[in-house]
Structures are given as C-alpha cells and as structure tokens.
C-alpha cells in the first residue's frame, strides 16, 4: 500500500484511528467506572479479572491474526474484530453478575486483538519507517484522547445513570469505524504460502492461560506450594516447550523463532514486558486509590486521571514528530523510560493525606513517560525486521506488553489483597474488634472489613445511619482503618511497579539504534550469515 497517493493514505489512517478510538475508548471508560460496578454486582475478589481476561484473549488472538493478516491482507480481520468487539460491548452491558461480565469482556478481547494487530500492521504497510514515527505518535495520541474522554465519561455515567451505558454509549463510534474500513480500506492481500500454524496458536494459549491462573490464584485461593499452582506452572512449561517445537516445524509459524536472533526484537519485547507489568499492574489501581482513599466521586476521579492522558497525548505526538525528523529513536526511548520510572516513584509516595491535585501531578509524569516511549518501541522493531513479517512483529510487541500487563495485574492484585488483610489485623483498634465480634455484628464482619465499601459512598452512609448513635464513632474508626489498609496495599503495588520500571530503564540502554529506512523495501543482507534468515535485517541483529 506504500504506492497509494497521500490523500488515500490519510483517509485510510482516519478509518484506522476511528477503529482504535472505539476499541481504546471502551477500555478506558471502564477503569473509572469499575469500582462502582463491582460495588453493585459484587465480586471484589475478581476485580482484576475484568482487565485480565481482556488482555489474555486479545494477546492470543493478536498473535495469530498478525500472521494471518500478513498472508491474507488486513481488511477482513479488522472488520471481524470490530464486529466481535461491538457484540462483546453490547453483551457486557447486559451482565447480571461479575462472572458474566468477565466472559463478555473476554469476547471483547478477541475483537480487540483483531483490531490492534491489524491497525499497527497497516501503518507499516502504508508508510516507510522514517515516516511511521509521526503516524504512530498520532495513533498513540488516539489512545491518549480516549483515555482523556473515557475516565470522565465512565465516572459521569455511573454517577448519573445506569452503568450499562458505560459499555453501550460508544457503540455508534464502532458502527462508523466499521463503515469507514469497509469503504476505504483496500482489498489488497498478502502472499499466501504454506499452512496456517493453528498448532502454534493452540500451544500459545495453553501456555498463557495456566500461567495467568497460577499467578492470579497463587497465595489467595491456593497456597503457592499447592498441587493446583504447581500443576498450572507445569502445564504452562509443557505448553511452552510444545509451542517452541511447533514453531520450529511450521511452514508459516505465528511467531518465527528466527526473530529471536534479532537483538532489537529481543530488547524491545523485554522492555515491553516489564513496562506492561509496571504500567498495567499499577495504573489499573489508580481509580481505586482516588475513589477509595481520597473519597472522590467516580465522575471527579475521571477528572483527576485526565491530566495523565493529556500528557500522554502530547508527548506521544511530540516523540513521533521528533523521531521522524531526526531518524533516531533511542534517545526518545530513554527519555520515556526515565520519566516513567520517575512517575512510578511519585505514585509510591501517595498516602491518606494525598489530594486530588497531587495525584494528578503524579499521573502527568507517568503519562509523559508512556507517551514518549510506547510509539518508539514499535517503530524500532518494525524497522529492524522484514516488511513481509510486519504483522507478526507488530503483534509480538503487543503480545509481550500485554503478557506483562496480564501478569502484572494478577500479581499486583494478589499483593494488594494480602497486604490489606495483614495491615487490618495490625491496625484495627480493640474497640472496633469488639464491635465486630458482637453477636449482632459477627455475621456482617467480613462485609464491613471489605475495602469494596470505600468505593460505594451511598452504601457506606446507609450502613452508618442504620447504626445506633453511640456505635457510629466506632464505625468511623473502622472506615479510617480500611482506608489506611487500602493505602498500604496500593503502596505495595506502586512500589513493585517502580522497581520494575527501573529494570526496564536499565535494559533500554542496550537498545541498538539503526538508521530508519526510507522505503518499505527490505535492504539486501550485508553478509552470508543472514542469507538464510529472511525474518531478520542484518542491521538489527
């Protein structure tokens, strides 16, 4: 598609960005609203699974679709993805309990994997690496814009109307995006050679699912040394070996093993994995802090998180423009990693005394770090690998980042819940313990010590009002202890995120910089050692 005229390319990019806006807006609108939705549906222990299931299904789908779109073209897959995503969004709004919501979010994840994989690959089809920086920066800005609108809109909906509209309100954007892609996107297909590697996709799923379950259940539902957890890790390990075996024999592997001989591919994906752990594992819990600790309404919490997304939009667009003008990307990647680590450090300093203003400033720094670095890493990998595998490499970058996010959310959730319970056992005043142990309160003790109460102010006020006047000060002490325990749990989440972001920064120094190509044609191999590795560019090895 590189040969298309500029006007056509711009129209196609508008269609792609509309698709991404629909998918990403549906993601960001949920974050702020979810604490209130969980308070109504119940299932605080499954809080992280609403995000985890989406990342899991989108990761597995994206990996297979990346290869299929290289073989058959991008258009049919992005259309199927939009259709699945719209169906999942509609069904999620009909959820009667948390389990249904998790299942429907999984369906959305399948659609999201189709959309994101084909969208980033299509940019690589349209523009050479030297020009991609500014366009990928704009695509990052679309994510940021959705994150500006989404949290506020999600909070306003749950504060003022039925939470179902969180999932239904942007369906018209999906319809518009579908029609734009249907009309504007060219039907040009890639070369079809060999059989599709379904075995690789199956074994990849067999690796990811038990791994996620082990991290999610370990230390909470089951002991880490239990037979269940050990069995899950063993199953993941066996599936990983089978995946490697399948990829070594496949005619069209979903993830060619030769790519792992490329140094840039390895470094970028390791950075992406660690950044995913730190970013998703920490940022997903910020709305819980703002609503549960600061005591901000869902609508206002959207306003508190908005500055982070504004800075992400601005820095994403800026880094893309600078990279396209200079032809260099490592400097921007380093700046992004440094700023992200600083932002994660600032999050560790939040406490019960933190104001909305301080929280917003901290999140501005985090957003800037993400904006500077995220588009650049994708560009570096695409520039260092063959154009014929752009779908595979783009999907791989997203896969490693999402695996990191999936593992991060699961680990952080487990750490948070354990720390909350440990802290409560230490700080609950004796008077409160006696109050909870009273015969008339004993059966409600578990509910009253659940931090879920903190994100349901109406329910909190109702419980307090129903208590005898002399018991209300004791109840206030309980709520204060709950907030303190929640802060302790979230502090642990943010601290782990900070340490992991430092590791990502260190690895960024090992990112090799090679000139950005000015054409989508692959250069001739520089030496005989690369002649049998069409997946590799010699300069990226």
């Amino acid at each position: 598609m590189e040969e298309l005229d500029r006007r056509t390319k711009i129209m196609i990019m508008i269609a792609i960005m509309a698709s991404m806006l629909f998918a990403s807006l549906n993601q960001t609108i949920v974050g702020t609203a979810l604490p209130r939705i969980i308070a109504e549906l119940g299932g605080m222990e499954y809080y992280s699974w609403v995000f985890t299931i989406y990342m899991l299904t989108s990761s597995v789908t994206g990996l297979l679709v990346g290869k299929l779109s290289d073989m058959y073209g991008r258009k049919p897959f992005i259309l199927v993805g939009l259709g699945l995503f719209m169906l999942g969004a509609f069904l999620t709004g009909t959820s009667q309990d948390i389990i249904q919501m998790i299942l429907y979010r999984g369906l959305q994840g399948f659609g999201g994997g189709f959309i994101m994989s084909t969208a980033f690959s299509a940019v690589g089809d349209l523009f050479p690496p030297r020009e991609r920086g500014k366009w990928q920066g704009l695509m990052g800005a679309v994510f940021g814009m959705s994150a500006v609108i989404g949290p506020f809109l999600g909070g306003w909906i749950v504060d003022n109307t039925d939470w179902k509209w969180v999932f239904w309100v942007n369906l018209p954007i999906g319809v518009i995006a579908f029609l734009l892609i249907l009309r504007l996107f060219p039907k040009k297909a890639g070369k079809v050679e060999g059989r599709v590697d379904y075995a690789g996709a199956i074994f990849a799923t067999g690796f990811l699912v038990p791994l996620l379950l082990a991290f999610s259940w370990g230390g909470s539902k089951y002991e880490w040394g239990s037979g269940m957890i050990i069995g899950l890790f063993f199953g993941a390990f066996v599936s990983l070996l089978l995946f490697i075996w399948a990829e070594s024999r496949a005619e069209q592997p979903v993830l060619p093993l030769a790519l792992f001989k490329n140094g840039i591919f390895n470094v970028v994906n390791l950075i992406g994995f660690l950044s995913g752990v730190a970013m998703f594992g920490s940022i997903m819990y910020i709305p819980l802090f703002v609503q549960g600790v600061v005591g901000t309404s869902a609508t206002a919490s959207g306003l508190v998180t908005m500055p982070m997304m504004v800075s992400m939009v601005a820095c994403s667009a800026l880094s893309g423009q600078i990279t396209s003008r200079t032809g260099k990307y490592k400097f921007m990647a380093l700046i992004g990693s440094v700023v992200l680590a600083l932002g994660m450090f600032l999050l560790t300093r939040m406490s019960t005394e933190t104001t909305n203003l301080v929280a917003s400033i901290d999140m501005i720094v985090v957003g800037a770090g993400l904006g500077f670095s995220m588009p650049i890493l994708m560009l570096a990998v695409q520039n260092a690998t063959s154009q014929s595998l752009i779908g595979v490499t783009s999907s791989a970058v997203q896969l490693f980042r999402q695996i990191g996010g999936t593992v991060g959310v699961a680990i952080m959730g487990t750490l948070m819940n354990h720390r909350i319970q440990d802290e409560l056992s230490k700080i609950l005043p004796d008077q409160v313990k006696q109050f909870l142990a009273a015969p008339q309160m004993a059966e409600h003790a578990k509910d009253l010590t659940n931090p879920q109460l903190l994100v349901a102010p109406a329910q909190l006020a109702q419980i307090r009002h129903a208590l005898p006047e002399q018991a209300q000060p004791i109840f206030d002490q309980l709520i204060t202890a709950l907030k303190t325990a929640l802060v302790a749990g979230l502090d642990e989440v943010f601290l782990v995120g900070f340490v992991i972001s430092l590791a990502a920064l260190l690895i960024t120094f090992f990112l090799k910089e090679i000139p950005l190509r000015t054409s989508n044609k692959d250069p001739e191999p520089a030496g005989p050692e690369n002649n049998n590795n069409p997946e590799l560019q010699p300069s990226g090895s």
Side-chain angles (χ1 to χ4, degrees):
M1 294 194 292
E2 187 181 11
E3 69 281 358
L4 295 174
D5 63 86
R6 185 166 184 80
R7 181 179 179 278
T8 302
K9 288 182 179 181
I10 292 174
M11 294 300 295
I12 293 173
M13 284 302 302
I14 291 173
I16 291 172
M17 288 190 285
S19 302
M20 292 182 61
L21 177 63
F22 169 59
S24 58
L25 184 61
N26 203 283
Q27 278 291 85
T28 59
I29 201 174
V30 173
T32 307
L34 188 59
R36 190 67 59 82
I37 296 172
I38 294 294
E40 181 174 328
L41 293 181
M44 182 68 173
E45 65 273 24
Y46 298 111
Y47 182 94
S48 63
W49 267 95
V50 178
F51 300 104
T52 299
I53 191 67
Y54 181 93
M55 286 188 287
L56 176 64
T57 54
S58 62
S59 297
V60 174
T61 306
L63 183 62
L64 179 59
V65 169
K67 167 53 75 175
L68 290 176
S69 67
D70 280 339
M71 296 172 67
Y72 300 108
R74 320 291 178 199
K75 184 172 183 175
F77 297 100
I78 196 169
L79 288 174
V80 170
L82 283 166
L84 287 174
F85 202 96
M86 284 190 284
L87 177 61
F90 175 78
L91 291 175
T92 304
T94 68
S95 301
Q96 300 298 308
D97 54 48
I98 188 65
I99 300 301
Q100 286 186 7
M101 177 168 285
I102 290 170
L103 292 174
Y104 296 146
R105 289 284 290 169
L107 179 60
Q108 279 191 281
F110 283 121
F114 275 77
I115 295 169
M116 295 305 172
S117 177
T118 49
F120 282 103
S121 302
V123 177
D125 292 335
L126 289 166
F127 303 99
R130 185 64 184 262
E131 293 184 43
R132 280 178 214 162
K134 56 188 176 184
W135 288 104
Q136 289 182 342
L138 288 174
M139 290 173 74
V142 169
F143 279 112
M145 184 173 69
S146 69
V148 169
I149 300 170
F152 172 76
L153 184 59
W156 185 89
I157 288 173
V158 295
D159 279 343
N160 296 279
T161 185
D162 197 312
W163 63 263
K164 300 180 190 312
W165 287 101
V166 166
F167 302 99
W168 294 345
V169 69
N170 61 350
L171 282 175
I173 298 177
V175 174
I176 293 171
F178 187 93
L179 294 176
L180 284 173
I181 293 293
L182 185 65
R183 178 167 178 78
L184 297 174
F185 211 91
K187 297 180 180 180
K188 183 178 179 181
K191 296 180 180 179
V192 182
E193 298 176 356
R195 298 172 59 185
V196 177
D197 181 24
Y198 293 112
I202 292 170
F203 291 136
T205 304
F207 166 69
L208 292 172
V209 172
L211 183 71
L212 170 66
L213 291 175
F215 278 113
S216 183
W217 288 347
S220 55
K221 188 172 182 179
Y222 299 97
E223 294 296 326
W224 284 105
S226 68
M228 174 62 76
I229 300 302
I230 293 174
L232 288 170
F233 277 126
F234 180 74
F237 177 72
V238 171
S239 293
L240 178 60
L241 294 180
L242 290 171
F243 174 75
I244 294 172
W245 173 79
E247 297 309 272
S248 67
R249 298 169 60 87
E251 294 179 71
Q252 291 287 350
V254 294
L255 186 59
L257 298 181
L259 284 171
F260 291 97
K261 298 178 182 178
N262 186 307
I264 292 177
F265 180 84
N266 292 330
V267 169
V268 166
N269 285 320
L270 185 54
I271 295 170
F273 174 82
L274 293 175
S275 298
V277 173
M279 179 179 67
F280 287 103
S282 301
I283 294 176
M284 289 301 182
Y285 290 97
I286 287 177
L288 188 58
F289 179 92
V290 174
Q291 294 179 45
V293 178
V294 181
T296 305
S297 69
T299 301
S301 76
L303 294 174
V304 172
T305 56
M306 187 180 292
M308 179 180 81
M309 305 310 174
V310 173
S311 69
M312 182 177 170
V313 169
C315 294
S316 179
L318 179 62
S319 68
Q321 289 290 335
I322 292 174
T323 302
S324 287
R325 289 176 182 274
T326 63
K328 298 182 181 298
Y329 53 80
K330 184 173 181 176
F331 180 65
M332 296 308 304
L334 283 170
I335 289 178
S337 296
V338 169
V339 175
L340 177 60
L342 174 61
M344 299 303 297
F345 172 73
L346 293 176
L347 292 181
T348 67
R349 300 174 61 84
M350 296 197 299
S351 68
T352 53
E353 305 300 319
T354 298
T355 63
N356 284 337
L357 176 61
V358 172
S360 295
I361 293 173
D362 294 348
M363 286 183 276
I364 286 173
V365 180
V366 173
L370 295 173
F372 278 126
S373 59
M374 286 179 66
I376 301 307
L377 296 176
M378 177 72 77
L379 175 62
V381 168
Q382 290 182 346
N383 183 60
T385 51
S386 172
Q387 181 68 21
S388 64
L389 291 174
I390 194 167
V392 171
T393 52
S394 300
S395 298
V397 172
Q398 296 175 77
L399 172 68
F400 280 96
R401 183 181 296 148
Q402 289 180 332
I403 290 176
T406 301
V407 173
V409 170
I411 291 176
M412 302 302 192
T414 299
L415 291 174
M416 182 188 74
N417 290 329
H418 274 282
R419 182 64 187 276
I420 287 173
Q421 296 307 314
D422 289 344
E423 195 71 16
L424 272 179
S425 66
K426 297 175 184 177
I427 66 174
L428 270 183
D430 291 337
Q431 193 177 18
V432 175
K433 291 179 179 177
Q434 293 171 7
F435 167 73
L436 293 174
Q440 65 272 27
M441 299 302 300
E443 61 180 297
H444 303 293
K446 186 176 180 180
D447 293 332
L448 291 175
T449 55
N450 189 338
Q452 182 175 307
L453 268 179
L454 299 176
V455 297
Q459 184 182 357
L460 205 61
Q462 186 178 6
I463 293 173
R464 189 181 190 279
H465 182 72
L467 292 172
E469 188 173 344
Q470 63 271 22
Q472 291 179 0
I474 301 176
F475 182 74
D476 292 339
Q477 291 181 51
L478 170 61
I479 297 306
T480 300
L482 273 178
K483 285 188 177 182
T484 303
L486 181 57
V487 168
L490 291 172
D491 275 349
E492 187 150 330
V493 165
F494 298 143
L495 179 61
V496 172
F498 168 61
V499 172
I500 293 173
S501 68
L502 286 180
L505 169 60
L506 178 63
I507 294 170
T508 304
F509 283 98
F510 295 92
L511 178 63
K512 184 179 180 180
E513 183 158 53
I514 59 177
L516 293 176
R517 303 197 308 270
T518 57
S519 170
N520 278 342
K521 294 181 179 179
D522 294 333
E524 292 296 322
E529 69 275 10
N530 292 301
N531 288 342
N532 296 322
N533 291 316
E535 293 88 354
L536 303 177
Q537 293 299 329
S539 52
S541 299

